[in-house]
Amino acid sequence: MLSALLKKHLGHMHVIYLHGFQSNHRSVKGQLLAAYCQQHVPEINVYLPDLNQSPHAVVQRLDQYIQDHTDKHLVCVGSSLGGFYANYLASQYHLPAVLINPAISPWQLFNSRFGHHQLPFAITTDWTLTQDDLNYLQYDMAHKPQDLKKILLLLQQGDEILDYRHAARYYHAEDSQCMMILEQQGDHVMRNFADKIPMLLMFLVHRCLSRNL
């Protein structure tokens, strides 16, 4: 059904998958998504960038990818810190997005985990977290998308890293039209993600259709 919709109305679609903190472009969820699309919906290309850089460098890379693919139907899927990046892309470029246990205020999380006295802190061989990074996350990237109908929020109450209620409150103000699926138990990784892939792809395709038709 997805292939038929794409062939008839959209052609090809590009999914930008944004992994979480201390993960990389080989993240399990990203690989599951790419494998599913390759097998079942080859009209969907999955882009898996490595985000282990400063937030400013990540934004430059993602902005460039979007500028290079303005002729494509672009959507994004992000997990944890990647969910924060996906929120940024949705707000800046009005892209449909799926957010998986997203970080809402990552600068607060980093402050509580590392503290000002530990900065700069080496996260990977390619990224050392600085106070400038935290400021950039907070003041340059924290913008809620205007069209929340394009957002699908996937939360699990058992998330041991992030309090799911922060994201639920952030996206579900009184007049919000954001779609949210909240599951009991679960965890931050969302181990049943593979079961959700057909549903989230259908959501993204239909949001592209509503913009295109």
Side-chain angles (χ1 to χ4, degrees), residues 17-21 29 77-88 97-106 109 145 151-156 159 161-172 178-182 187-190:
Y17 180 82
L18 305 164
H19 65 75
F21 177 60
K29 289 192 288 294
V77 178
S79 175
S80 192
L81 180 60
F84 179 80
Y85 286 134
N87 176 85
Y88 168 82
V98 176
L99 312 180
I100 306 162
N101 288 333
I104 302 304
S105 304
L109 183 65
I151 302 296
L152 171 60
L153 183 62
L154 302 179
L155 298 175
Q156 292 189 331
D159 188 332
I161 303 296
L162 300 172
D163 187 336
Y164 76 92
R165 292 171 294 187
H166 293 168
R169 285 194 296 265
Y170 183 80
Y171 288 102
H172 263 259
C178 171
M179 182 181 293
M180 179 175 72
I181 297 176
L182 175 62
D187 54 21
H188 186 65
V189 173
M190 194 167 287

Side-chain angles (χ1 to χ4, degrees), residues 24-101:
N24 54 53
H25 62 288
R26 297 184 296 274
S27 71
V28 172
K29 289 192 288 294
Q31 295 298 322
L32 286 170
L33 180 60
Y36 181 92
C37 290
Q38 184 176 22
Q39 180 176 356
H40 299 286
V41 201
E43 297 82 8
I44 297 179
N45 177 77
V46 180
Y47 174 51
L48 300 164
D50 192 321
L51 306 179
N52 286 302
Q53 300 174 284
S54 71
H56 186 265
V58 168
V59 166
Q60 286 185 318
R61 181 175 183 177
L62 296 175
D63 285 347
Q64 188 61 58
Y65 183 84
I66 290 172
Q67 295 304 319
D68 290 343
H69 295 83
T70 54
D71 60 330
K72 305 298 182 183
H73 295 281
L74 298 172
V75 300
C76 47
V77 178
S79 175
S80 192
L81 180 60
F84 179 80
Y85 286 134
N87 176 85
Y88 168 82
L89 294 182
S91 68
Q92 295 299 304
Y93 295 100
H94 308 289
L95 301 183
V98 176
L99 312 180
I100 306 162
N101 288 333

Side-chain angles (χ1 to χ4, degrees), residues 184-199:
Q184 293 183 337
Q185 300 180 343
D187 54 21
H188 186 65
V189 173
M190 194 167 287
R191 298 182 192 281
N192 62 352
F193 173 74
D195 300 332
K196 297 177 171 59
I197 291 176
M199 175 269 297

